[in-house]
Amino acid sequence: MNPSLVNIGIVGLGRWARVLTNAAKQSKKLKIIAGHSRSVENRQSFLEEFNIKTYDTIEEMLSNPNIEGVIITVPNEQHYPVAEKIAAAGKHVYTEKPISNTLEDGLRMERLQQKHDIVMVVGHSARLLKGVTIIKKFIDSEEIGRLCFVESNFSNERALTLSPDTWRWYRKRAPGGPLSQLAIHQFNILHYLGGEIDSVSSIASKLSPVGAEVDDQSMTTIKFKNGALGYVGSSWTSPGIFSVRAFCQNGLIHHELDFSSWDNPDNLHKSSSLYIQRGIDGFGLKEELSIPPGNMFLDELEIFAAACRSKKIDQLTAHDGNVAVAVVMAALKSIDESGRLISVENTLNKAKQNI
């Protein structure tokens, strides 16, 4: 084996495991060398597609001394028990977002780092989109002034095809529907762009004809601790879209992409747009900005690989993952209380008291 490569295992060999494994094939920093799924069919198809050894049990895979870190792509409610096994084996953890479907389990996962001397990366890949990182650079430089407001949307048509045999049908497994599955990406991005979040207010509704338990529309307003405001919208009954617009005192910058290209990030820049409007005559001075090619899935895996070796992580952290879940939970509470403003800090503190 090449000692310069970080050897990685992966648990859960469904669609998303394949997306990440295809991204990892492009890396010169890591290599996925092992996989595990409880499904015999998934193990066999993964082996045939990637020629990567699969294991019948996670314990067998974790006994491989060459594995330094493990990727988790199992359903959200299984993240904590799987992460606990991985961390106890001394392996570093990458988990797909959300860090967990409950804030309490997310906080337990965060604590595994200190307990087992490992690092944990949470796959909030959307904040690594080239358009989003360009917006962040403009905000940090204050080239277009102080950030005042951010609006964003992440939607797709998922609720039109839900059925009772899928986990997203159920309120307990997918709280808030698109709120916990799509909007959570934007909550993480707004935290990244705007700073610490003070409180949120949210409303939701159900419009899909299939009859699922979950709501399928959500609107959440955000108050940042620095006084800026934000909005996150998410629909599960419309064509896929992802957009972020940052309003600053001397201009605004807008990024939008076609969700149909999401699983093929190497081509995302081709179906994306990014423009800036400067000054009070902004629209007349609207300027298209170029978006460089990128692959946010490859980037997040290489962040994980670097963290496995350095034991340091300053982005995609478990803490930031838990803040995103705390915003979801505060939003859900707000929905139940007719849109009342809910403190994110109080939501985090209450969850800490429960573990």
Side-chain angles (χ1 to χ4, degrees), residues 3 5-9 33 64-70 90-93 304-305 308-309:
L5 292 175
V6 178
N7 292 314
I8 302 293
I33 66 167
N64 183 336
N66 294 314
I67 294 175
E68 298 177 56
V70 178
K91 317 290 188 185
H92 303 290
V93 175
F304 180 46
C308 288
R309 291 285 168 87

Coordinates of all heavy atoms in Angstrom, one line a residue, residues 3 5-9 33 64-70 90-93 304-305 308-309:
P3 N 2.1 4.5 1.4 CA 2.0 5.1 2.7 C 1.6 6.6 2.7 O 1.2 7.1 3.7 CB 3.4 4.9 3.3 CG 4.3 4.8 2.1 CD 3.4 4.1 1.1
L5 N -0.9 7.7 1.0 CA -2.4 7.8 0.9 C -3.0 7.4 2.3 O -2.5 6.5 3.0 CB -2.9 6.8 -0.1 CG -2.6 7.1 -1.6 CD1 -3.1 5.9 -2.5 CD2 -3.2 8.4 -2.0
V6 N -4.1 8.1 2.6 CA -4.8 7.8 3.8 C -5.9 6.7 3.4 O -6.7 6.9 2.5 CB -5.6 9.0 4.4 CG1 -6.4 8.6 5.6 CG2 -4.5 10.1 4.8
N7 N -5.8 5.5 4.1 CA -6.7 4.4 3.7 C -8.0 4.6 4.5 O -8.0 4.7 5.7 CB -6.0 3.1 4.0 CG -4.9 2.8 3.1 OD1 -5.0 3.0 1.9 ND2 -3.8 2.4 3.7
I8 N -9.1 4.5 3.8 CA -10.4 4.8 4.3 C -11.3 3.6 4.1 O -11.3 2.9 3.1 CB -11.0 6.0 3.6 CG1 -10.1 7.2 3.8 CG2 -12.4 6.3 4.1 CD1 -10.0 7.7 5.2
G9 N -12.2 3.4 5.1 CA -13.3 2.4 4.9 C -14.6 3.2 4.8 O -14.7 4.4 5.1
I33 N -10.5 1.6 0.7 CA -10.0 0.2 0.6 C -10.9 -0.9 1.1 O -10.6 -2.1 0.9 CB -8.6 0.1 1.2 CG1 -8.7 0.2 2.8 CG2 -7.6 1.0 0.7 CD1 -7.5 -0.2 3.5
N64 N -9.2 -4.2 10.5 CA -8.2 -4.0 9.5 C -7.3 -2.8 10.0 O -7.7 -1.7 10.0 CB -8.8 -3.6 8.1 CG -7.7 -3.5 7.0 OD1 -6.6 -3.2 7.3 ND2 -8.2 -3.6 5.8
P65 N -6.0 -3.1 10.3 CA -5.1 -2.1 10.9 C -4.7 -1.0 9.9 O -4.2 0.0 10.3 CB -3.9 -2.9 11.4 CG -3.9 -4.1 10.5 CD -5.3 -4.4 10.2
N66 N -4.9 -1.3 8.6 CA -4.5 -0.3 7.6 C -5.5 0.9 7.4 O -5.2 1.9 6.8 CB -4.3 -1.0 6.2 CG -3.2 -1.9 6.3 OD1 -2.1 -1.6 6.7 ND2 -3.4 -3.1 5.7
I67 N -6.7 0.7 8.0 CA -7.8 1.7 7.9 C -7.6 2.8 8.9 O -7.5 2.5 10.1 CB -9.2 1.1 8.0 CG1 -9.4 0.1 6.8 CG2 -10.2 2.2 8.1 CD1 -10.8 -0.6 7.0
E68 N -7.5 4.0 8.5 CA -7.3 5.2 9.4 C -8.6 5.9 9.7 O -8.7 6.5 10.8 CB -6.2 6.1 8.8 CG -4.9 5.5 8.6 CD -3.9 6.5 7.9 OE1 -3.7 7.6 8.5 OE2 -3.4 6.2 6.9
G69 N -9.5 5.9 8.8 CA -10.7 6.6 9.0 C -11.9 5.9 8.3 O -11.6 5.1 7.3
V70 N -13.1 6.2 8.7 CA -14.3 5.5 8.1 C -15.3 6.5 7.8 O -15.7 7.4 8.6 CB -14.8 4.4 9.1 CG1 -16.0 3.8 8.4 CG2 -13.7 3.4 9.4
G90 N -10.6 3.3 17.4 CA -9.5 4.2 17.1 C -9.4 4.8 15.7 O -8.4 5.3 15.3
K91 N -10.5 4.7 15.0 CA -10.5 5.2 13.6 C -11.2 6.6 13.6 O -12.2 6.8 14.4 CB -11.3 4.3 12.7 CG -11.0 2.8 12.8 CD -9.6 2.4 12.4 CE -9.5 0.9 12.4 NZ -8.1 0.4 12.0
H92 N -10.8 7.5 12.8 CA -11.4 8.8 12.6 C -12.7 8.6 11.9 O -12.9 7.6 11.1 CB -10.5 9.7 11.9 CG -9.2 9.9 12.6 ND1 -9.0 10.5 13.8 CD2 -7.9 9.4 12.3 CE1 -7.8 10.5 14.2 NE2 -7.1 9.8 13.3
V93 N -13.6 9.6 12.0 CA -15.0 9.5 11.5 C -15.3 10.6 10.6 O -15.1 11.8 10.9 CB -16.0 9.5 12.7 CG1 -17.4 9.5 12.2 CG2 -15.8 8.3 13.7
F304 N -11.1 15.4 5.2 CA -11.1 14.3 6.1 C -9.8 13.6 6.2 O -9.2 13.3 7.2 CB -12.2 13.3 5.8 CG -12.3 12.1 6.6 CD1 -12.3 12.3 8.0 CD2 -12.5 10.9 6.1 CE1 -12.4 11.1 8.9 CE2 -12.6 9.7 6.9 CZ -12.6 9.9 8.3
A305 N -9.2 13.3 5.0 CA -7.9 12.7 4.9 C -6.8 13.5 5.7 O -6.0 12.9 6.4 CB -7.5 12.4 3.5
C308 N -7.3 13.1 9.4 CA -6.9 11.8 9.9 C -5.4 11.8 10.3 O -5.0 11.2 11.2 CB -7.1 10.7 8.9 SG -8.9 10.3 8.6
R309 N -4.6 12.5 9.5 CA -3.1 12.6 9.7 C -2.8 13.6 10.8 O -1.9 13.4 11.6 CB -2.4 12.8 8.4 CG -2.5 11.6 7.4 CD -1.6 10.5 7.9 NE -1.8 9.3 7.1 CZ -1.2 9.0 6.0 NH1 -0.4 9.8 5.4 NH2 -1.5 7.8 5.4

